Amino acid sequence: MDLGLKDRVYVVTGATRGLGLASARELTADGAKVVLTGRDEKTVAEAAAELGPNAVGVAADNADPAGAQRLVDAARTHFGRFDGILISVGGPAPGSAADNTDDQWQAAFESVFLGAVRLARTAAASLTEGGVIGFVLSGSVHEPIPGLTISNGLRPGLAGFAKSLSVELGPRGIRVIGLLPARIDTDRVRQLDALSGEPDTARAANESRIPLGRYGRPEEFGKAAAFLLSPAASYLTGTMLPIDGGSRHGF
């Protein structure tokens, strides 16, 4: 199946590792060109070099108000066009409602929530018909995850924003989609397992609750992201796709 990605240009934030890098890898494998972002200039450059000539790295922080337009401009400068963005943000600090501090909430709001909103607004102003805005969120949009109170508070709000944005941009032919990963085998998930003090036991317990019986692989997430961002998904908008091995309890 041809996804129609050849020569299309996407910005992928948080793309130096994990789900962002996996998505960028699948996009370039299918012929797209990508602008990768991350906060560390050296790591961004290494990730872009790994993906080859159809990738360029730009150091940027999602919380930086000036960063969003700089990324759109970089796509046009390096590759001559801008077709979409995948907004992948890092996970906020773990903790309970009693333990998380005001500073942790504020930092997460600036980066995870407001940074994502700003990136989406800036992209929307620059996209034309056929463009797409994707959000990498979390299964916590539907079901809170124990020990991740800040994420549980912010990500459902971003899903609501994404849905609202899809309605506003639909008449312009611009799509908005969300991806809801659960236990994908990334550094972030392994760190969360390690919080228990017995990571192997925690992983086994988590896998026992997943109908497919295992953690997802980053490339499985990346392939789903590439499809949803591609013209092959041209009639999908305003939807949130769980990528969770069936672990969500609802439909």
Side-chain angles (χ1 to χ4, degrees), residues 137-226:
L137 300 174
S138 166
S140 63
V141 164
H142 294 303
E143 298 178 13
I145 300 172
L148 294 180
T149 300
I150 295 179
S151 179
N152 295 338
L154 297 181
R155 296 196 192 277
L158 275 176
F161 170 76
K163 184 65 174 180
S164 298
L165 190 63
S166 73
V167 175
E168 295 176 18
L169 298 182
R172 290 173 49 196
I174 299 169
R175 299 185 299 112
V176 182
I177 50 95
L179 298 95
L180 311 182
R183 309 303 290 195
I184 309 295
D185 193 11
T186 62
D187 291 342
R188 164 73 171 173
V189 168
R190 288 191 288 272
Q191 289 168 0
L192 294 176
D193 286 346
L195 292 175
S196 69
E198 297 183 357
D200 292 341
T201 301
R203 178 166 181 148
N206 287 322
E207 288 181 330
S208 72
R209 293 188 287 268
I210 300 172
L212 288 183
R214 62 176 176 84
Y215 282 9
R217 297 184 293 272
E219 62 267 25
E220 292 177 309
F221 178 91
K223 290 179 186 297

Side-chain angles (χ1 to χ4, degrees), residues 74-85:
R76 289 184 169 144
T77 298
H78 288 281
F79 298 122
R81 57 189 286 176
F82 173 59
D83 297 290
I85 186 170

Side-chain angles (χ1 to χ4, degrees), residues 107-127:
F109 177 79
E110 292 289 339
S111 178
V112 173
F113 192 92
L114 185 56
V117 167
R118 186 185 296 115
L119 284 161
R121 283 197 319 240
T122 303
S126 299
L127 289 169

